[in-house]
Amino acid sequence: MPAVRADGPSFDRRAGFAFVGREGELRSLMVALREGPAVVFVEGASGIGKSRLLQEAEHRIRAAGTPVLRGACHPLREPLPFGPVVDALRDGWSHFGPEARFGPSTAVLAAYLPELADRLPATGPDMGLDPEGSRGQRLMRAVHQVLGALGPAVLMVEDVHWADDATRDLLLLLARNPPGRLRLVLTYRARDLPGSGSVLGSPYRRPIGVGGTEMILRPLSQAQVRELAASAIGPAATGSLCRALYERSGGIPIAAEEDLLVLAGHVTRGGGALQILEDALVPRALQEAVNSRIEPLGADATTVVQAAAVLAVPAGEELLAAVAAMDEDQAGQALIAALEADVLVEKGSGRYGFHHVLARRAVYDQIPGPRRRRLHARAAEALEWQDPPALVQVAHHIGRLGDTAAWLPRALAAADHAFALGDDGVAAELLGQLLAEPTLPPDDRTRAALALGTIAAFRTDPAASVATLRRIVADPALPTGIRGEMRFNLIRILTNTDAYWEDLAELRQAIAELETRPATAASAMATLSFCSAMSERGDTVAEDLALMDRAERLAAGTGDTLTLADVLATRIGLLEIIGDPRGRELLKELPLRATDRDILRHCARALHNAAYYEMSRGCDQTAHELLGEAEELGRHTDSEILELGCRAIRLGLDVVSGHWAGLDRRIEATLSESAEDSTIRLALTAAAAILDTAGGRWLQARTRLTPLTTAANADIGPMAISMLARLDMLEDDAPAAWQRIQPVVVARRRKGLWAQTLDLVPTAVQAALACGRRDEAHRITDDAEHGIQGLNAPGVAAGASWCRGLLAADTDPEGALTHLERARIQYDAIGRAPTVARVVEQSGLLALAHNPGRATRDLHHALDTFTRLGATADAARCQRALRDNGLPRLTPRSRRSYGTDLSPREQEVAQLLAGGSTNQQIARSLALSPRTVEHHVASVLKKLSVTRDRVQETLDTDS
C-alpha cells in the first residue's frame, strides 16, 4: 500500500498509512508461507496491526499467483456453521478453476456455497444442515475436501478468539491435517481466548511435515511512530510532536493513526500541532473498546480505575487506595479485578497504569465532573504528604480544581524544582502555563520568562516558547534591561532553530537595551559577531573579529564564569568559521571540568560548532574527534538540540566520505526529528540532495535545494546555490550555472571568507570556463588560494588544485594532469571518496586525447567508486565516456535475461520515473540516448503493469 502524504487539507484517509515497523514480521511470515502445508499463529492486542500485516502479505502472495482466502470471526454473528471459513470460500470462489474436482461428500455445502452449487454433487437425502454430531463432521470433511481441491492456497482467519466451538474444531482439523498444500494463518488476542486459553480449543502440536511459525506483534517503538507520522504529515512531524504521539498511543498503531487523521487536515507545526493533539477527542472505536472492558467491573474496581485515570502516571497500591478513598484490602481486590479485565496493567515494580495515554483519556473523559474534582483533591492531598512531595503532580491536580491562587505558588515551586534538576521539558511546560496566566505577579513573570528563554535555547522544537517570548518582549511596561535580556534569549533560540533568521538590527537593539547588564551584553555582542560572520550580508571578517575582541574584554571585566564560558564558546565558533588555527587552540581552554550544567552546555556548543566547521573545511578526522566529545557532553547536559545536531554532523561526514549504505533512510529519519526551517533540517536536506544528485534524481535534488538558497547561514545558502549550479552544468546549462553562482563569489570576496563550502570554487571555475570567462576563473582560483593562507582549509586547498588543473587543460595537458593528481591526493588524505572519484573522472576525460591508457585506468577507477557508492548518474557518465571513445572494459560485461524482473538499468530508470523525471531528464542523468531511454521506460511500465504516474506506488508496495 502506498505511503500516505498529508501535505495539505486534501489528505485522503481512505488511502491508508505507510507500512511501518513490521518489516521483520512480514519477512518471517512470507518465509513461513513460502511452501505448504504450514500453520502460522499471529498474536497481538487490539489495534496492534495484525490485519495490516496480513493485508501486506496477501498482496505479495497474490502477486506471486497463489490464491488467498480471508475470513474473520466476530463477537456477534448469524448462525452459520464454520462461518469464517465458509465466508472465505464464498468470497474466493473465483479461485476454483474449471479443472477443480469435488468429491461426493462436498454436496452438503451446496446450501452454504451457492457460488459453487452448480459444480458440487447433488445433495443426498440424509444431508442435514445441523453442524452438530455426525452432520457437523460431514460438513468439516466437506470443507476440508473443497480446500484441498483449491490446490496450493493460503487461508487467513482473523480474530480466532471469537470463534465458536464448531469453527475452532474445523480450524484444529485443518491445522492437524492440512489439505493439499494449504497454508493456514490465524490471528488472535491471547487475553480474550476462552476456556483454557488454547487458540484452537485443544493443545496444538505442529505435525511432522507441516511448517509455519508463531509471532507476537509488539507496540511500535518511538522511532517507528515517528516514521509513521512522517509518512502521513511530512515535515510537520517534528520531534516533540512525535514524542507526544508515541506517549498518547503507547505504540499502538491504530491509536497513533487516529491522532494523525486529526492532524492531517490541520498540518501545522510546533505548539499548534501539540495543542490540536491535546484537544483531540478519544477515537470512538477506542472509547468503545475501553468502555466494554470497564462495564463488567464492580463499583470498587471502577473507582480504582478512575483514580488511576486522574493520577495520570503509574501509581502504587497505597496511592491508588488513598485517591479512591478505600482501605488497602478493598483497593487491592479492586485492583486485581481491573488487572484481570486488562483495563490496568503493571507498569513497573508495584506501579499500575493504563496501556497508553488515550486509554487513560477514554476513562478520564467519562468521569462525572463532581467525582473528578473529589479525586483530584484527594490526589493533591496525598501527593503533598509524600516525602519528598511530588511538586509537579501536586500543581497539576490543584490546577485541575480551578483554584488559581492556590495553583500559582505550587506551579512556581514545581518549575523551580524541575529547572534545578535539569528536566527542561517539564520546566518549560510549567513556565509556559505560568506565563499564560494573567494574574501572575510581574516579578514572577519576569523570572519565569528569563528561565524559559534559557531552557528553550537548547531544545529542538521551541516554537511555543518563541511565541510566548515575543509577546513578553512586546510589552511596553517591561523594564529596558529585562527586555534586552529577553530579546537576546529570543534571538538565541532563533539562531539555533531558524536558518532564515538574520535580523542583525534586532540583535544590535538588544545590545543597546543591555547597557546596564554588562555580562549579558558581552554574550550578545559575541553572538552578533558570530551571526555577522554567518550572514552573507554581515560585516567583513576583520570587523567581526574586532567586535569579538570587544565582547571578550567586556566579559573579562564582569568576572562572571558563565559569561566567560559563553563568550569563549562563541569565539571558538567564529574562529572555526574562518578556519583560524587559534580556534583549535582555544578548545583546550574550555572549562570541561566545571560542574555547572549551563557552563558545560556552552562547552558542548563550542565542540559541536567546531566539529561542524572542521567538516566544512575538509578537516574530517578532527571533526570526528570533536564530534565524539560533543556527543558525550550533549548527553550529559541533556541538550536536545546539540544531540540532534551531532547526529546530523555524523550523517554529513558519512555523506562526504562515501559511507552511503542505508544513508538515505537514516537522513530521512533524522529529518523527521528536526524543527522546520532549523539549521539542522536544512543541512540534512542538503545532504539528501547530494545523494539525489549522484543518483540522477536531479528534479528531486532541485526541489530540496531551492528553498535552501535564501538561508541566512553563510554555509548552507551558498552550498545549496553551488549544488544547483552543478546541476545546471550537468544539464549542459553553463550560463544558468554562472548566473546563479557569480553573486556568491562576489559576496565571498567582500567578506573575505573562503574557508567554507568546499565545492563552491571548483563549480564556479567550471561554470566560468564553460562561459568563456577565463580571466574570472583565474581570479576566483587566486582569491581562494590567497584567502586561505595561514588557515586550516585543506578542502579548499584541494579544490584550488582541481581548479589549476581545469585552467591548464587547454594549454598544458600534462601540467593539468599533475594538478589533478595533486587534488586527488589532497582529497584522498581528507577521506572524501566521492570527490576523489570526480577528480579522477576529470583526469580520465582530460587524458582521452593523448594518453588512452591513463584515460581507461582513471575512468574505470572512477566508475568502480561510483558504482560501489550507488552514484548512478556519476557512473553512467564514466560508462558513456568509455563507450563513446571505444575504450576497453577491464572486465567483460556479462549479459543475462531478467525475464519479468527489472534489470539493474531498468531499476535505475524506474526510480527516476518515480521521482517525476521526464525521458529527456532520464537520458541526461544516465548518459543514455533518448531512444534507449524510451525502450527502457516502455519495458519498465510493461513489467510493472502500470502507467507512468503509478510507478512510485508500485515501488513503495514492492519495497
Side-chain angles (χ1 to χ4, degrees):
M1 179 172 291
V4 174
R5 299 293 304 193
D7 298 323
S10 60
F11 176 74
D12 182 3
R13 64 178 296 151
R14 296 167 298 177
F17 287 85
F19 184 65
V20 170
R22 304 290 184 223
E23 293 82 2
E25 289 88 346
L26 179 60
R27 284 193 295 271
S28 297
L29 182 57
M30 295 304 296
V31 169
L33 299 178
R34 186 171 296 160
E35 296 180 358
V39 180
V40 176
F41 295 93
V42 181
E43 176 191 341
S46 177
I48 202 70
K50 302 185 294 295
S51 296
R52 180 61 187 274
L53 176 64
L54 265 58
Q55 180 181 341
E56 294 293 324
E58 179 183 3
H59 178 85
R60 288 158 175 75
I61 295 167
R62 286 187 185 276
T66 301
V68 178
L69 308 178
R70 289 186 71 171
C73 305
H74 304 283
L76 295 175
R77 62 178 184 82
E78 295 298 319
L80 175 68
F82 319 125
V85 179
V86 171
D87 286 344
L89 287 169
R90 293 184 65 174
D91 291 339
W93 69 271
S94 60
H95 293 302
F96 292 92
E99 72 283 356
R101 296 291 179 267
F102 306 105
S105 62
T106 62
V108 69
L109 292 174
Y112 306 107
L113 298 175
E115 294 82 1
L116 294 174
D118 59 338
R119 299 172 56 192
L120 295 171
T123 304
D126 61 339
M127 297 295 183
L129 303 181
D130 183 2
E132 301 297 330
S134 60
R135 289 171 182 159
Q137 293 296 321
R138 284 199 297 272
L139 281 168
M140 289 172 58
R141 286 195 298 272
V143 171
H144 191 279
Q145 285 193 26
V146 169
L147 287 170
L150 186 58
V154 176
L155 172 62
M156 299 177 172
V157 181
E158 297 188 65
D159 297 327
V160 176
H161 50 274
W162 282 326
D164 59 276
D165 290 343
T167 299
R168 211 178 300 277
D169 288 342
L170 172 61
L171 295 176
L172 181 61
L173 170 66
L174 296 175
R176 287 177 172 172
N177 181 25
R181 284 181 285 166
L182 181 72
R183 289 84 144 173
L184 184 64
V185 184
L186 307 175
T187 74
Y188 66 98
R189 301 202 299 254
R191 284 185 173 272
D192 292 325
L193 289 171
S196 63
S198 297
V199 181
L200 298 175
S202 300
Y204 173 72
R205 172 178 286 178
R206 194 174 281 106
I208 296 174
V210 176
T213 188
E214 299 179 16
M215 62 181 67
I216 302 175
L217 300 190
R218 308 290 185 187
L220 299 179
S221 67
Q222 185 169 333
Q224 290 163 344
V225 170
R226 185 170 61 243
E227 184 181 351
L228 182 70
S231 77
I233 59 175
T238 60
S240 57
L241 178 62
C242 292
R243 283 192 295 274
L245 282 168
Y246 176 71
E247 290 168 2
R248 282 169 58 87
S249 67
I252 305 298
I254 194 172
E257 289 172 1
E258 289 289 345
D259 274 343
L260 287 168
L261 288 171
V262 172
L263 288 172
H266 308 82
V267 175
T268 182
R269 74 176 199 264
L274 290 172
Q275 191 60 51
I276 289 171
L277 271 191
E278 183 66 25
D279 296 341
L281 297 175
V282 176
R284 179 185 55 79
L286 183 58
Q287 182 76 65
E288 292 174 354
V290 173
N291 289 344
S292 69
R293 293 187 179 279
I294 292 178
E295 285 175 1
L297 295 176
D300 286 352
T302 299
T303 301
V304 166
V305 169
Q306 291 176 342
V310 165
L311 284 167
V313 296
E317 288 187 59
E318 184 177 351
L319 182 56
L320 286 169
V323 177
M326 296 180 184
D327 61 49
E328 287 191 24
D329 289 341
Q330 183 184 13
Q333 292 300 316
L335 178 59
I336 290 172
L339 292 168
E340 289 177 343
D342 199 31
V343 176
L344 298 180
V345 293
E346 190 165 7
K347 306 289 281 189
S349 179
R351 295 182 303 116
Y352 306 92
F354 294 85
H355 285 282
H356 47 77
V357 172
L358 285 178
R360 184 195 72 81
R361 278 282 307 275
V363 174
Y364 185 86
D365 290 348
Q366 298 299 309
I367 303 174
R371 183 181 300 171
R372 190 188 308 147
R373 283 182 55 81
R374 288 195 296 272
L375 290 169
H376 276 298
R378 288 200 290 264
E381 183 180 3
L383 290 164
E384 271 192 313
W385 280 98
Q386 287 187 349
D387 186 19
L391 297 177
V392 174
Q393 295 178 53
V394 169
H396 165 76
H397 293 296
I398 295 294
R400 289 290 182 173
L401 293 175
D403 188 347
T404 303
W407 173 75
L408 282 176
R410 289 173 169 86
L412 282 166
D416 288 341
H417 181 62
F419 186 76
L421 292 179
D423 193 335
D424 290 350
V426 170
E429 183 177 350
L430 283 165
L431 290 168
Q433 293 173 10
L434 284 162
L435 291 169
E437 175 52 52
T439 62
L440 185 68
D443 289 346
D444 290 334
R445 179 174 299 279
T446 298
R447 181 162 61 92
L450 291 173
L452 181 62
T454 302
I455 291 171
F458 292 92
R459 307 196 74 202
T460 58
D461 189 21
S465 301
V466 167
T468 299
L469 291 175
R470 281 204 181 280
R471 287 196 301 271
I472 294 173
V473 168
D475 183 357
L478 203 64
T480 301
I482 297 296
R483 177 183 289 105
E485 188 159 353
M486 290 188 183
R487 190 188 304 278
F488 176 49
N489 280 340
L490 173 62
I491 290 170
R492 276 200 138 155
I493 299 170
L494 292 171
T495 58
N496 282 339
T497 59
D498 188 351
Y500 297 96
W501 180 89
E502 59 172 342
D503 191 352
L504 301 183
E506 185 175 12
L507 189 45
R508 292 188 179 95
Q509 182 180 351
I511 295 172
E513 292 168 340
L514 289 166
E515 184 178 2
T516 60
R517 294 172 174 251
T520 310
S523 294
M525 200 175 292
T527 300
L528 176 59
S529 171
F530 180 85
C531 290
S532 175
M534 290 285 291
S535 172
E536 289 288 334
R537 289 177 282 277
D539 295 331
T540 65
V541 168
E543 291 169 321
D544 296 332
L545 286 170
L547 181 59
M548 182 63 75
D549 289 341
R550 287 176 52 201
E552 193 168 45
R553 290 193 296 271
L554 185 59
T558 68
D560 182 73
T561 55
L562 180 59
T563 301
L564 288 168
D566 186 353
V567 172
L568 174 61
T570 309
R571 183 180 188 86
I572 289 170
L574 173 62
L575 294 173
E576 286 287 346
I577 291 173
I578 299 167
D580 191 320
R582 291 177 296 172
R584 289 186 186 175
E585 292 301 314
L586 286 178
L587 286 168
K588 300 173 185 176
E589 298 182 16
L590 287 173
L592 297 174
R593 296 184 180 276
T595 56
D596 186 309
R597 184 179 66 146
D598 290 334
I599 291 177
L600 291 177
R601 277 182 164 176
H602 288 307
C603 294
R605 173 168 62 89
L607 291 166
H608 166 276
N609 289 347
Y612 177 80
Y613 291 114
E614 293 281 348
M615 175 184 69
S616 296
R617 299 195 314 275
C619 307
D620 293 0
Q621 183 56 45
T622 303
H624 273 290
E625 294 168 1
L626 293 172
L627 186 59
E629 296 181 62
E631 286 173 325
E632 182 178 353
L633 202 52
R635 286 190 294 268
H636 177 67
T637 58
D638 296 320
S639 176
E640 293 178 357
I641 197 163
L642 286 176
E643 287 188 70
L644 187 61
C646 287
R647 285 171 53 193
I649 295 172
R650 195 165 293 284
L651 290 169
L653 286 166
D654 285 344
V655 170
V656 297
S657 64
H659 294 102
W660 289 2
L663 186 56
D664 53 347
R665 293 190 297 274
R666 290 164 51 210
I667 289 174
E668 291 297 334
T670 309
L671 269 170
S672 68
E673 295 184 58
S674 59
E676 188 78 4
D677 295 341
S678 67
T679 302
I680 293 172
R681 177 179 282 270
L682 269 59
L684 289 168
T685 301
I690 291 174
L691 301 183
D692 289 335
T693 301
R697 300 179 294 275
W698 295 346
L699 178 63
Q700 185 168 320
R702 285 188 182 278
T703 301
R704 291 187 196 269
L705 291 169
T706 301
L708 276 56
T709 59
T710 56
N713 185 292
D715 185 45
I716 291 175
M719 180 197 307
I721 292 170
S722 176
M723 292 170 66
L724 284 167
R726 181 169 177 242
L727 284 169
D728 292 333
M729 294 292 292
L730 289 170
E731 294 180 342
D732 300 323
D733 193 351
W738 175 248
Q739 184 178 9
R740 190 189 300 276
I741 206 167
Q742 189 261 350
V744 181
V745 172
V746 172
R748 288 291 148 126
R749 285 197 182 112
R750 184 188 67 79
K751 285 189 69 72
L753 186 64
W754 288 97
Q756 306 294 328
T757 319
L758 305 191
D759 272 359
L760 172 66
V761 173
T763 303
V765 167
Q766 289 179 56
L769 288 172
C771 292
R773 299 175 178 270
R774 177 169 289 275
D775 290 345
E776 181 64 18
H778 273 287
R779 185 184 176 195
I780 293 170
T781 306
D782 292 342
D783 286 347
E785 287 183 330
H786 177 73
I788 62 171
Q789 286 182 5
L791 304 180
N792 288 326
V796 178
S801 297
W802 187 356
C803 293
R804 292 296 178 198
L806 296 170
L807 289 165
D810 291 339
T811 59
D812 182 11
E814 285 301 326
L817 289 174
T818 300
H819 285 300
L820 291 176
E821 177 62 15
R822 182 182 300 115
R824 183 197 66 78
I825 293 170
Q826 289 170 307
Y827 280 122
D828 195 44
I830 296 172
R832 302 210 164 183
T835 312
V836 168
R838 287 172 56 195
V839 172
V840 172
E841 177 195 1
Q842 191 82 48
S843 176
L845 294 173
L846 181 59
L848 283 169
H850 64 281
N851 193 339
R854 175 165 182 171
T856 302
R857 184 181 70 251
D858 285 351
L859 287 171
H860 271 287
H861 179 90
L863 173 60
D864 290 344
T865 300
F866 290 142
T867 302
R868 173 177 58 80
L869 292 174
T872 306
D874 295 331
R877 284 197 314 273
C878 296
Q879 289 173 329
R880 183 167 190 171
L882 289 165
R883 181 177 65 246
D884 290 353
N885 289 277
L887 298 179
R889 292 180 176 274
L890 298 184
T891 55
R893 180 172 61 182
S894 60
R895 292 185 177 275
R896 54 160 284 194
S897 172
Y898 290 90
T900 59
D901 295 332
L902 298 181
S903 69
R905 177 64 82 192
E906 288 167 346
Q907 290 173 5
E908 294 168 356
V909 170
Q911 290 292 340
L912 294 176
L913 282 172
S917 296
T918 64
N919 283 14
Q920 185 177 14
Q921 290 167 333
I922 294 172
R924 286 177 175 168
S925 297
L926 301 182
L928 299 173
S929 69
R931 184 177 294 276
T932 300
V933 170
E934 288 176 7
H935 170 76
H936 285 313
V937 168
S939 181
V940 167
L941 299 181
K942 180 178 179 181
K943 288 183 178 182
L944 296 180
S945 300
V946 294
T947 57
R948 196 180 188 108
D949 60 344
R950 299 295 297 277
V951 173
Q952 179 66 66
E953 179 179 332
T954 303
L955 294 180
D956 285 343
T957 301
D958 293 338
S959 61

